[in-house]
Each structure stands twice: as structure tokens, then as C-alpha cells.
Amino acid sequence: MYDGTCYKIINGKYYECKLEGGEEYFTNIYLGQPYEADANQYAYEQVKKICGDSDELRKLYEFWMPGQPVPDDIYDSIYALIDEKIQMKD
């Protein structure tokens, strides 16, 4: 999704569409998805338990967390737009 390319699976078939926007916007959207943020938080906590906390680990963690929280309504509108674009292709 970093360049706006999105995929959706419908009945086992992949569909592709392209959204407008810049790389920074889509990077923040990608990293802010709840499953991504949760996975990165979990990985950080696990590594911290094993190796201890450090400046380098915190910098890595901050790199993989979204720069700004993304509200749920933004995700709702993005997913709706993907659905709309995919339907237009069929």
C-alpha cells in the first residue's frame, strides 16, 4: 500500500486498484493499521524482555510505528473507496 496500490480478495481471486496519494501518507496508513501497530508493539516488548531496552531498540520501534494516529473513520473511507474502485472494474 506504500504507493497506493491495493489488493482485495473476492472469492479467491485478487483484484487490484490504485489510490491517489503520496508515499508518506500511505506509509502512515499502513503502519497505523491496528494489526500492524499491535504486531510492532508486541515485537518491541518481546525484544526488550530478551535483550533489554536501548536507544537503538526505541529508535527502531519508533521507525515502525505510525507518525500520527489514524482515526477509524479514515480507514473506513479508504476501505470503502477500495471497494468502490474494485466494483467499478467488474
Side-chain angles (χ1 to χ4, degrees):
M1 185 182 242
Y2 292 109
D3 67 351
T5 303
C6 302
Y7 299 92
K8 182 175 181 175
I9 300 173
I10 302 172
N11 296 326
K13 183 178 177 187
Y14 279 88
Y15 292 85
E16 178 183 325
C17 70
K18 181 90 170 175
L19 303 179
E20 297 299 319
E23 183 176 341
E24 184 176 336
Y25 173 75
F26 287 118
T27 298
N28 199 56
I29 292 294
Y30 175 77
L31 293 175
Q33 294 183 92
Y35 63 87
E36 283 295 323
D38 287 350
N40 290 329
Q41 177 70 35
Y42 179 79
Y44 170 70
E45 294 298 331
Q46 296 307 305
V47 171
K48 190 166 72 169
K49 284 180 191 175
I50 296 167
C51 299
D53 204 7
S54 67
D55 287 338
E56 291 82 11
L57 180 59
R58 281 191 297 279
K59 287 176 186 175
L60 184 63
Y61 170 72
E62 290 169 4
F63 177 80
W64 287 108
M65 292 305 285
Q68 299 175 345
V70 180
D72 289 342
D73 61 323
I74 297 295
Y75 284 113
D76 292 342
S77 66
I78 289 171
Y79 296 142
L81 182 58
I82 291 168
D83 288 344
E84 181 182 309
K85 287 182 171 268
I86 295 294
Q87 294 301 320
M88 290 177 9
K89 289 183 175 186
D90 287 341

